[in-house]
Amino acid sequence: MDIRDLPFGVTDWSEVERTEHTGEQGVAYWQTRTFGDIRVRMVEYSPGYLADHWCAKGHILLCLEGELHTELKDGRCFVLKPGSSYQVADNAELHRSSTERGAKLFVVD
């Protein structure tokens, strides 16, 4: 990641608009800030959430609360709990998210 022309700043996430994104099951709530080509999000998945697509976008993702299940298109599965993270490059490995009990994430892409 090459971060340029970004002065020091602070984000109060309680002031960032929350948008709703329906999954195949459940719903995701995003709070999004964009800094040039960098998107930074707080994402909250409802209990029972299942993404409605296989994602090719690269991310750095940190689980803050709950439990996130990430399935790769090749069949591998990973479970993130609070304090664990994953990283994947753009177009590297298709992945999709789900959670049984809900999850809150911090995502940079």
Short mmCIF file of all heavy atoms in Angstrom, two decimals, residues 85-107:
data_model
loop_
_atom_site.label_atom_id
_atom_site.label_comp_id
_atom_site.label_asym_id
_atom_site.label_seq_id
_atom_site.Cartn_x
_atom_site.Cartn_y
_atom_site.Cartn_z
N SER A 85 -7.04 -11.21 12.25
CA SER A 85 -7.23 -10.49 11.00
C SER A 85 -6.86 -11.38 9.82
O SER A 85 -6.26 -12.44 9.99
CB SER A 85 -6.36 -9.23 10.98
OG SER A 85 -4.99 -9.56 11.02
N TYR A 86 -7.24 -10.92 8.62
CA TYR A 86 -6.73 -11.55 7.40
C TYR A 86 -6.38 -10.48 6.40
O TYR A 86 -6.80 -9.32 6.53
CB TYR A 86 -7.70 -12.60 6.83
CG TYR A 86 -8.91 -12.10 6.07
CD1 TYR A 86 -8.81 -11.45 4.84
CD2 TYR A 86 -10.19 -12.33 6.56
CE1 TYR A 86 -9.92 -11.03 4.14
CE2 TYR A 86 -11.31 -11.92 5.87
CZ TYR A 86 -11.17 -11.28 4.65
OH TYR A 86 -12.28 -10.87 3.96
N GLN A 87 -5.60 -10.87 5.41
CA GLN A 87 -5.24 -9.98 4.33
C GLN A 87 -5.25 -10.80 3.04
O GLN A 87 -4.89 -11.97 3.05
CB GLN A 87 -3.87 -9.32 4.54
CG GLN A 87 -2.73 -10.26 4.82
CD GLN A 87 -2.74 -10.82 6.24
OE1 GLN A 87 -3.17 -10.18 7.18
NE2 GLN A 87 -2.29 -12.06 6.38
N VAL A 88 -5.72 -10.17 1.96
CA VAL A 88 -5.75 -10.82 0.65
C VAL A 88 -5.64 -9.73 -0.41
O VAL A 88 -6.18 -8.63 -0.24
CB VAL A 88 -7.04 -11.66 0.47
CG1 VAL A 88 -8.30 -10.81 0.49
CG2 VAL A 88 -6.98 -12.50 -0.79
N ALA A 89 -4.94 -10.02 -1.48
CA ALA A 89 -4.74 -9.06 -2.57
C ALA A 89 -5.95 -9.04 -3.51
O ALA A 89 -6.75 -9.98 -3.55
CB ALA A 89 -3.48 -9.43 -3.36
N ASP A 90 -6.07 -7.96 -4.27
CA ASP A 90 -7.09 -7.87 -5.31
C ASP A 90 -6.94 -9.05 -6.26
O ASP A 90 -5.82 -9.40 -6.68
CB ASP A 90 -6.94 -6.57 -6.11
CG ASP A 90 -7.35 -5.33 -5.33
OD1 ASP A 90 -8.19 -5.44 -4.42
OD2 ASP A 90 -6.83 -4.25 -5.65
N ASN A 91 -8.06 -9.67 -6.62
CA ASN A 91 -8.12 -10.75 -7.61
C ASN A 91 -7.24 -11.95 -7.27
O ASN A 91 -6.88 -12.73 -8.15
CB ASN A 91 -7.76 -10.22 -9.00
CG ASN A 91 -8.66 -9.09 -9.41
OD1 ASN A 91 -9.88 -9.21 -9.37
ND2 ASN A 91 -8.07 -7.96 -9.75
N ALA A 92 -6.88 -12.12 -6.00
CA ALA A 92 -6.01 -13.23 -5.61
C ALA A 92 -6.81 -14.50 -5.34
O ALA A 92 -6.57 -15.53 -5.96
CB ALA A 92 -5.18 -12.86 -4.38
N GLU A 93 -7.77 -14.43 -4.42
CA GLU A 93 -8.56 -15.59 -4.06
C GLU A 93 -9.98 -15.13 -3.73
O GLU A 93 -10.18 -14.32 -2.82
CB GLU A 93 -7.95 -16.30 -2.85
CG GLU A 93 -6.56 -16.85 -3.15
CD GLU A 93 -5.88 -17.44 -1.94
OE1 GLU A 93 -5.35 -16.64 -1.14
OE2 GLU A 93 -5.91 -18.67 -1.80
N LEU A 94 -10.93 -15.65 -4.48
CA LEU A 94 -12.32 -15.29 -4.23
C LEU A 94 -12.72 -15.76 -2.83
O LEU A 94 -12.36 -16.85 -2.40
CB LEU A 94 -13.24 -15.94 -5.27
CG LEU A 94 -13.07 -15.43 -6.71
CD1 LEU A 94 -13.98 -16.22 -7.64
CD2 LEU A 94 -13.35 -13.95 -6.80
N HIS A 95 -13.47 -14.91 -2.13
CA HIS A 95 -13.85 -15.20 -0.76
C HIS A 95 -15.24 -14.63 -0.48
O HIS A 95 -15.70 -13.73 -1.17
CB HIS A 95 -12.82 -14.60 0.22
CG HIS A 95 -12.54 -13.16 -0.03
ND1 HIS A 95 -11.70 -12.71 -1.04
CD2 HIS A 95 -13.00 -12.05 0.58
CE1 HIS A 95 -11.65 -11.40 -1.04
NE2 HIS A 95 -12.45 -10.96 -0.06
N ARG A 96 -15.88 -15.20 0.54
CA ARG A 96 -17.16 -14.64 0.99
C ARG A 96 -17.29 -14.83 2.49
O ARG A 96 -16.72 -15.75 3.08
CB ARG A 96 -18.35 -15.22 0.25
CG ARG A 96 -18.68 -16.65 0.58
CD ARG A 96 -19.95 -17.05 -0.13
NE ARG A 96 -20.20 -18.47 0.08
CZ ARG A 96 -21.24 -19.11 -0.38
NH1 ARG A 96 -22.15 -18.46 -1.08
NH2 ARG A 96 -21.40 -20.39 -0.14
N SER A 97 -18.06 -13.94 3.09
CA SER A 97 -18.18 -13.88 4.54
C SER A 97 -19.53 -14.39 5.01
O SER A 97 -20.54 -14.23 4.32
CB SER A 97 -18.02 -12.43 5.02
OG SER A 97 -16.73 -11.95 4.71
N SER A 98 -19.51 -14.95 6.21
CA SER A 98 -20.75 -15.32 6.89
C SER A 98 -20.49 -15.27 8.39
O SER A 98 -19.35 -15.26 8.85
CB SER A 98 -21.22 -16.72 6.47
OG SER A 98 -20.30 -17.70 6.91
N THR A 99 -21.57 -15.22 9.15
CA THR A 99 -21.47 -15.26 10.61
C THR A 99 -22.77 -15.81 11.18
O THR A 99 -23.85 -15.49 10.67
CB THR A 99 -21.15 -13.88 11.20
OG1 THR A 99 -21.08 -13.99 12.63
CG2 THR A 99 -22.16 -12.83 10.83
N GLU A 100 -22.64 -16.65 12.16
CA GLU A 100 -23.83 -17.19 12.82
C GLU A 100 -24.36 -16.21 13.86
O GLU A 100 -25.55 -16.03 14.00
CB GLU A 100 -23.51 -18.53 13.48
CG GLU A 100 -23.20 -19.63 12.49
CD GLU A 100 -22.84 -20.94 13.16
OE1 GLU A 100 -23.05 -21.07 14.39
OE2 GLU A 100 -22.37 -21.83 12.45
N ARG A 101 -23.44 -15.58 14.61
CA ARG A 101 -23.89 -14.75 15.74
C ARG A 101 -23.63 -13.26 15.57
O ARG A 101 -23.89 -12.48 16.47
CB ARG A 101 -23.24 -15.24 17.03
CG ARG A 101 -21.75 -15.24 17.00
CD ARG A 101 -21.18 -15.84 18.26
NE ARG A 101 -19.75 -15.59 18.32
CZ ARG A 101 -19.07 -15.42 19.41
NH1 ARG A 101 -19.68 -15.49 20.56
NH2 ARG A 101 -17.79 -15.19 19.37
N GLY A 102 -23.12 -12.86 14.41
CA GLY A 102 -22.85 -11.46 14.14
C GLY A 102 -21.36 -11.15 14.31
O GLY A 102 -20.63 -11.90 14.98
N ALA A 103 -20.92 -10.07 13.69
CA ALA A 103 -19.51 -9.67 13.78
C ALA A 103 -19.38 -8.19 13.48
O ALA A 103 -20.17 -7.62 12.72
CB ALA A 103 -18.68 -10.48 12.79
N LYS A 104 -18.36 -7.58 14.08
CA LYS A 104 -18.01 -6.19 13.79
C LYS A 104 -16.55 -6.20 13.33
O LYS A 104 -15.69 -6.79 13.99
CB LYS A 104 -18.17 -5.31 15.02
CG LYS A 104 -17.97 -3.83 14.73
CD LYS A 104 -18.35 -2.98 15.92
CE LYS A 104 -18.27 -1.50 15.58
NZ LYS A 104 -18.69 -0.68 16.73
N LEU A 105 -16.28 -5.52 12.21
CA LEU A 105 -14.99 -5.57 11.55
C LEU A 105 -14.47 -4.18 11.23
O LEU A 105 -15.26 -3.25 11.02
CB LEU A 105 -15.11 -6.35 10.23
CG LEU A 105 -15.93 -7.63 10.26
CD1 LEU A 105 -16.25 -8.09 8.85
CD2 LEU A 105 -15.19 -8.68 11.05
N PHE A 106 -13.16 -4.06 11.14
CA PHE A 106 -12.50 -2.86 10.62
C PHE A 106 -11.80 -3.31 9.34
O PHE A 106 -11.01 -4.25 9.36
CB PHE A 106 -11.49 -2.31 11.62
CG PHE A 106 -10.85 -1.04 11.18
CD1 PHE A 106 -11.52 0.17 11.27
CD2 PHE A 106 -9.55 -1.04 10.68
CE1 PHE A 106 -10.93 1.35 10.85
CE2 PHE A 106 -8.94 0.14 10.28
CZ PHE A 106 -9.63 1.34 10.37
N VAL A 107 -12.12 -2.66 8.21
CA VAL A 107 -11.67 -3.12 6.90
C VAL A 107 -10.98 -1.98 6.16
O VAL A 107 -11.51 -0.86 6.09
CB VAL A 107 -12.84 -3.63 6.06
CG1 VAL A 107 -12.35 -4.20 4.72
CG2 VAL A 107 -13.67 -4.66 6.83
#
